[in-house]
């Protein structure tokens, strides 16, 4: 597998941001009351993450080491302002639903983590692949979580009724506690799949995907040291 494919695919499962390396949990839990909200936030993160990786990778030899974090935040903040203006112009109802969590993308640990751990150490093509993989994985995770909560809490998906007429929604699923319940359900399902996959391969125990090394997102930088 080529390096570009490897960097792209890791974000879709092995290092899936909210469920594997536990990055970006604040918007993951806060805005996913519906699938639409999750998809909208995910799309905004893909835009910011991809462009920030490209810019930081292109300028990695110019940015002074001592002020690199401040420079990363400036780049990210500029892109987030662009996203805000675009959403206000073309998706204002969604912008109102996401609220404060759109400008908070500036300090999203996923954005800064990929800038520090990957984009500042690799070329533009690899940084694009990393950003797209992580961004798409993040967007898919938020959409899945939002879809589960919306179906169980409202009986709809993207606002379209999908449950039978006598279905009684569990309204707490679209409230704050429902986010933790749905997250737990997804993590339990993924862990069960890992155990099944490990037994199928004859392994004694599944490889941990939530290790401290993985959660920092800097495995490519430290090389296991």
């Amino acid at each position: 597998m080529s390096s570009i494919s490897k960097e792209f695919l890791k974000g879709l499962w092995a290092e899936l941001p909210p469920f594997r390396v536990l990055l970006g949990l604040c918007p993951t839990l806060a805005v996913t009351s519906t699938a639409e909200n999750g998809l909208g936030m995910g799309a905004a993160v893909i835009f910011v993450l991809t462009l920030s990786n490209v810019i930081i990778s292109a300028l990695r030899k110019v940015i002074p080491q001592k002020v690199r974090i401040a420079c990363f935040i400036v780049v990210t903040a500029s892109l987030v302002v662009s996203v805000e203006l675009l959403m206000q112009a073309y998706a204002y109802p969604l912008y109102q639903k996401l609220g404060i969590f759109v400008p908070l993308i500036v300090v999203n640990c996923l954005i800064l983590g990929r800038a520090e751990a990957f984009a500042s150490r690799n070329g533009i093509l690899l940084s694009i692949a990393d950003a797209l993989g992580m961004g798409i994985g993040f967007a898919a995770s938020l959409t899945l979580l939002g879809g589960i909560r919306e179906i169980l809490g409202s009986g709809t998906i993207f606002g379209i009724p999908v449950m039978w007429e006598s279905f009684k929604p569990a309204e707490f699923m679209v409230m704050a506690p429902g986010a933790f319940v749905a997250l737990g359900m997804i993590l339990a399902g993924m862990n069960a799949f890992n155990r099944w996959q490990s037994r199928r391969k004859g392994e004694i125990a599944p490889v941990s995907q939530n290790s401290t090394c993985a959660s920092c997102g800097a495995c490519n930088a430290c090389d296991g040291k």
Side-chain angles (χ1 to χ4, degrees), residues 63-198:
I63 297 175
Q65 184 71 8
K66 292 183 179 180
V67 295
R68 67 187 188 284
I69 300 300
C71 293
F72 297 165
I73 293 176
V74 169
V75 170
T76 304
S78 301
L79 294 171
V80 170
V81 170
S82 301
V83 168
E84 279 194 275
L85 294 176
L86 288 171
M87 292 184 72
Q88 289 177 12
Y90 299 107
Y92 191 67
L94 177 61
Y95 174 78
Q96 287 183 308
K97 293 178 182 178
L98 298 180
I100 189 63
F101 293 98
V102 175
L104 282 179
I105 294 175
V106 174
V107 291
N108 189 316
C109 54
L110 173 61
I111 308 291
L112 297 178
R114 299 323 298 168
E116 169 68 12
F118 197 91
S120 63
R121 294 177 170 89
N122 293 276
I124 293 178
L125 288 179
L126 286 178
S127 296
I128 291 174
D130 174 78
L132 288 176
M134 289 289 178
I136 292 172
F138 185 77
S141 299
L142 265 64
T143 305
L144 173 63
L145 185 60
I148 291 174
R149 294 179 63 191
E150 184 179 359
I151 290 172
L152 297 179
S154 304
T156 63
I157 184 73
F158 289 103
I160 302 172
V162 293
M163 304 300 281
W164 54 92
E165 293 184 2
S166 60
F167 174 74
K168 294 183 179 180
E171 294 184 0
F172 84 97
M173 288 299 295
V174 294
M175 306 169 101
F180 291 94
V181 172
L183 178 63
M185 292 166 57
I186 293 173
L187 293 179
M190 295 180 73
N191 288 335
F193 177 80
N194 280 342
R195 288 194 295 271
W196 172 80
Q197 195 174 42
S198 297

